[in-house]
Each structure stands twice: as C-alpha cells, then as structure tokens.
C-alpha cells in the first residue's frame, strides 16, 4: 500500500521514503485522516506499531509553516528518554528544519528552558511536571496551542502525573487533543474525561508471532491489591476445583501477607515456599508439596527465585506480575500433553505488562467476569463493597467521553461464575463427564 493513502505533502512523503518507511502502518491509516480533520483521537495499541511517527507526521502536516509568536503544538511524554526519542523522530522527518522544536525534561535548568521558550518555539516536547512548572512561571504560553498530544499516556498515569496533564490541557482551550496509549483503563479515562471532546477511540491489536503453545490463560482485572486478596480467597475456597495450586507474588513479605490472609482451618493446607519465618508453614522443596495430598496451595515469591519445577500442578496463579515478562511466559508455555490453567490478576496499572505478555506470546488472555460475591475494596473510601448489580451499572453508564464499549469479541455471551468455569475446565482435563 502506498504512502499516498495518508494524503501527506510531497516533502513529507519524500522524508518518509528516505527514512525507509515505504508503506503506511495500520495506526497511520486509521488515525491520520481524523487527526488532520481536527477530531480528538485516542489511539490504543502496543509498542512498536508506529504511534510516534504518526503524530510527528500529523504535526508537521497540520502546522504547515513555522515562526509564530507562541508554540502551536505541545507533546507530553513520560520521561527524558521519551523526549529524546520524539525529538529524534522530528529531526528525521522535518527535512527542511523549518520548525523550531524544544525538548524539555526535568533534568535541565529551568531558567535555560524559560529562555529557550521565550525566544520562540513552534513545537514543544516535554514531561508533564516540568511543562506545568514553566506554564506557572508564564514561560509556556498555551493560548496558541493547536495540537495537544499525550504519548504513552498509560505510563504518565503510572507515574502519577495526571494533574499536570489535565491542568495544561484545560489551559489550551482551543486545541485538538490526541492521545496515544498501550492500554485504556478507568484511571486513564479519569484523566482524559475533563478535556476530551467526543474522541474517536481507535484500537490497533498487533500480536507477535506465535512461537510456542501456551496453557489456557484467564485474566481477572481488579482495582487494587486488597481486592486481589479477596478474589484469591474466594476462588481458592473451592477446594474441590483448586486442589493443587501455586500462587506467585513478587516478594517474600507479600507471600507472608497472602499466607496470613487465609483462615487456615485445615492444618498444612496453605503453605509458603521457603518462608521467611520458622512459624509459617512451608516447604523448602516443591517436590514435597507435590507429594503431600493435604498441601493444596503453595505461595511462592519471585524474589531471589531460581528455576522452579511446577510441572504436574494444574493451577498456576500470578497474583502479581513479575518484573520480567519472560518469567511469567516461561511458566505458561506448554510441555507435552499437560493441561494447566494459568490465571493472572491485574490492576489497571499492571495492564501495561499484561499487553506486553500477550504481544510476546501472540495470544490474548481471556478476560473473566468478577464473581458476584467478590468484595471489591474501594480505594477512595477504603470501604468494602460488593460488585455492582446490573441496575447500578446501568445508572453509571453515562461515563465520560473517553469511555468506549468493549469490542464484540470481548463481550461475554455466557453467565458462568469463576468457580463453575474453572470446574468445567478442570473436569474436561481429567476426562470427567
């Protein structure tokens, strides 16, 4: 497919060709006309699909000429590394060097940055907190901003930089808003809702090549760690289904927290792999856990963990995502005919890592409905409440403009509880009717 489909100027097409971009990316085909048309856009897709190139091209195309009295494009990114990457992409495609582009991060002298902005720039690439500081010092004039762009928005939320983004967006009242993110979740929507104007939400799902078969993967999305504890207790309360389970967490202290959260009605039923404290039930050898029928749940910390043979264990739960996605992937790859159900718990912030895992294995996790009797902890009030009823969800359906409905492929057409679903899977594995 030709670059002509993007309807770019001849100089930009020539710059793209010289840079080795011979065909347009899917994200460019789906978003470019909307961006050039002035619509607010939220583009959701994994790393490496061409998001940065898309908005760099759109910015150079829309601004057309340089040297006005105030900046006309403000691009917010999570950190100095991303600032450098975006500036490099502008330098690659801005062949005539007509635009004055400033890179602003938190490590530079704020006085020098103030002088640079007051001397005149057309495009600013900045981290949110430093951009806000310059705005409050009256060095950053947002009155002429035409394009307000947030890249890697999910990382900005993860860093807790939502307030500077919202304040700057609201100050640039006449601008078009363009958001690029790997995931879209409630916390991100909460940041976007105050300033997005009926955006087009465009999702790009590009999975990597499937190089190995993996076990069945189930995903539970929950708001916080406390709710994870409640969900784990609820699921593992069904001893008939979950008769042998390994639960992975990241630290030994977390492993102890999870252990103490259980009621421990049956002696030796719940244990820790190599516990920190002698009075906690535990095993130093996983083979001992496998051999003892009464030992049903083993909590394992990733901290300092060497290779662990979890073969023969039918349920593997990742209550926390390990720092390296390869750690989890290694545990879910199929070996022989063994059938395992791999369950992952994820908060909104952890969804970034979930998407990276899905992209790496070339397969999406199956999103599960939360059990009706799950006690969901409200992080704002720290009070425990049950999952919303259908009527309550209907009342809350009038959400912000950034909210979008699930794709048809993600909508559930069954009404099984988590326990029933797991039980059906487990019985099928054992050849039971």
């Amino acid at each position: 497919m030709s670059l002509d489909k993007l309807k770019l100027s001849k100089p930009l097409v020539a710059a793209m060709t010289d840079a080795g971009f011979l065909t347009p990316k899917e994200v460019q085909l789906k978003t470019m006309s909307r961006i050039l048309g002035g619509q607010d856009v939220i583009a959701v897709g994994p790393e490496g699909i061409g998001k940065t190139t898309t908005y760099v091209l759109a910015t150079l195309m829309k601004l057309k000429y340089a040297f006005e009295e105030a900046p006309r494009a403000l691009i917010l990114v999570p950190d100095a590394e991303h600032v450098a990457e975006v500036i490099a992409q502008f330098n690659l495609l801005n062949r005539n060097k007509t635009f004055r582009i400033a890179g602003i991060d938190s490590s530079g002298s704020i006085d020098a940055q103030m002088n640079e902005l007051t001397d005149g720039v057309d495009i600013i690439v900045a981290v949110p907190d430093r951009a806000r500081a310059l705005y409050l010092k009256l060095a950053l004039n947002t009155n002429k901003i035409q394009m307000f762009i947030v890249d890697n928005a999910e990382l900005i939320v993860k860093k807790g930089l939502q307030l500077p983004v919202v304040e700057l967006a609201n100050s640039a009242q006449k601008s078009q808003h363009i958001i690029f993110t790997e995931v879209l979740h409630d916390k991100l929507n909460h940041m976007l809702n105050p300033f997005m104007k009926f955006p087009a939400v465009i999702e790009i799902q590009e999975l990597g090549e499937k190089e190995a078969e993996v076990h069945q993967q189930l995903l539970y999305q929950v708001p916080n760690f406390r709710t994870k504890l409640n969900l784990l207790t609820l699921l593992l309360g069904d001893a008939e289904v979950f008769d042998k389970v390994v639960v992975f967490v990241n630290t030994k202290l977390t492993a102890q927290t999870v252990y103490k959260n259980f009621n421990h009605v049956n002696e030796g039923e719940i244990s820790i792999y190599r516990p920190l404290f002698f009075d906690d039930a535990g095993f130093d050898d996983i083979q001992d856990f496998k051999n003892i029928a009464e030992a049903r749940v083993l909590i394992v910390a990733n901290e300092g963990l060497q290779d662990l043979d979890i073969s023969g264990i039918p349920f593997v739960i990742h209550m926390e995502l390990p720092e390296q996605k390869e750690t989890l992937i290694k545990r879910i790859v199929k070996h022989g005919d063994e059938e395992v159900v791999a369950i992952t718990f994820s908060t909104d912030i952890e969804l970034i890592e979930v998407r990276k895992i899905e992209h790496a294995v070339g397969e999406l996790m199956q999103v599960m409905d939360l059990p009706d009797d799950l006690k969901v902890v409200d992080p704002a009030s720290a009070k425990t409440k049950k999952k919303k009823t259908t009527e309550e969800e209907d009342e809350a359906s009038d959400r912000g403009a950034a909210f979008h409905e699930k794709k048809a492929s993600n909508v559930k057409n069954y009404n099984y509880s988590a326990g029933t679903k797991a039980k059906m899977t487990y019985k099928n594995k054992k050849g039971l009717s």
Side-chain angles (χ1 to χ4, degrees), residues 14-129:
M16 287 279 285
T17 304
D18 290 346
F21 302 119
L22 304 179
T23 57
K25 298 278 192 179
E26 183 182 356
V27 66
Q28 292 156 8
L29 290 170
K30 289 186 173 181
T31 63
M32 189 64 73
S33 62
R34 293 178 182 273
I35 295 174
L36 295 181
Q39 185 176 9
D40 280 11
V41 171
I42 301 173
V44 186
E47 185 179 1
I49 63 169
K51 297 192 292 285
T52 303
T53 304
T54 300
Y55 68 75
V56 167
L57 287 171
T59 302
L60 295 174
M61 186 69 186
K62 282 201 72 171
L63 298 191
K64 294 181 180 177
Y65 54 88
F67 299 99
E68 284 214 357
E69 61 186 31
R72 286 167 295 147
L74 176 60
I75 302 168
L76 300 179
V77 295
D79 50 43
E81 182 180 351
H82 284 89
V83 170
E85 290 174 1
V86 176
I87 293 293
Q89 197 73 348
F90 269 111
N91 291 337
L92 181 66
L93 299 175
N94 182 28
R95 295 181 69 188
N96 297 327
K97 310 300 179 188
T98 52
F99 293 100
R100 300 162 297 175
I101 305 170
I104 304 293
D105 62 59
S106 299
S107 63
S109 163
I110 194 167
D111 290 334
Q113 291 168 349
M114 289 175 64
N115 291 334
E116 183 178 12
L117 296 189
T118 52
D119 285 344
V121 295
D122 300 294
I123 301 167
I124 298 174
V125 184
V127 295
D129 48 351

Side-chain angles (χ1 to χ4, degrees), residues 107-246:
S107 63
S109 163
I110 194 167
D111 290 334
Q113 291 168 349
M114 289 175 64
N115 291 334
E116 183 178 12
L117 296 189
T118 52
D119 285 344
V121 295
D122 300 294
I123 301 167
I124 298 174
V125 184
V127 295
D129 48 351
R130 181 53 64 92
R132 177 177 180 267
L134 291 166
Y135 168 72
L136 294 176
K137 288 179 176 290
L138 306 181
L140 172 55
N141 182 353
T142 59
N143 292 332
K144 299 285 186 178
I145 296 292
Q146 298 174 25
M147 301 180 73
F148 184 91
I149 301 169
V150 182
D151 193 10
N152 291 106
E154 79 288 349
L155 294 181
I156 286 175
V157 172
K158 189 174 182 179
K159 288 174 173 285
L161 297 172
Q162 298 96 310
L163 178 61
V165 173
V166 174
E167 188 170 339
L168 289 166
N170 287 334
S171 72
Q173 296 182 3
K174 298 179 181 179
S175 67
Q176 174 189 15
H177 304 101
I178 304 160
I179 311 298
F180 289 87
T181 180
E182 288 195 31
V183 296
L184 191 60
H185 49 61
D186 288 345
K187 286 187 178 180
L188 180 53
N189 280 331
H190 185 71
M191 179 182 80
L192 302 181
N193 286 342
F195 60 85
M196 296 299 286
K197 304 165 186 173
F198 304 103
V201 180
I202 298 167
E203 293 193 59
I204 312 295
Q205 280 194 351
E206 285 190 8
L207 295 175
E209 290 291 329
K210 192 168 183 178
E211 298 181 359
E213 287 295 319
V214 296
H215 297 299
Q216 181 185 11
Q217 298 179 79
L218 308 181
L219 175 66
Y220 287 95
Q221 296 176 213
V222 295
N224 45 51
F225 181 77
R226 185 67 239 180
T227 307
K228 283 185 180 184
L229 284 174
N230 293 343
L231 178 59
L232 185 69
T233 304
L234 185 61
L235 292 180
L236 298 189
D238 190 341
E240 180 184 346
V241 172
F242 295 96
D243 62 346
K244 211 72 169 178
V245 187
V246 170

Side-chain angles (χ1 to χ4, degrees), residues 240 423-433:
E240 180 184 346
K423 189 175 294 187
M424 291 168 63
T425 302
Y426 191 47
K427 285 185 176 181
N428 286 336
K429 286 191 310 177
K430 299 182 74 172
L432 299 177
S433 57

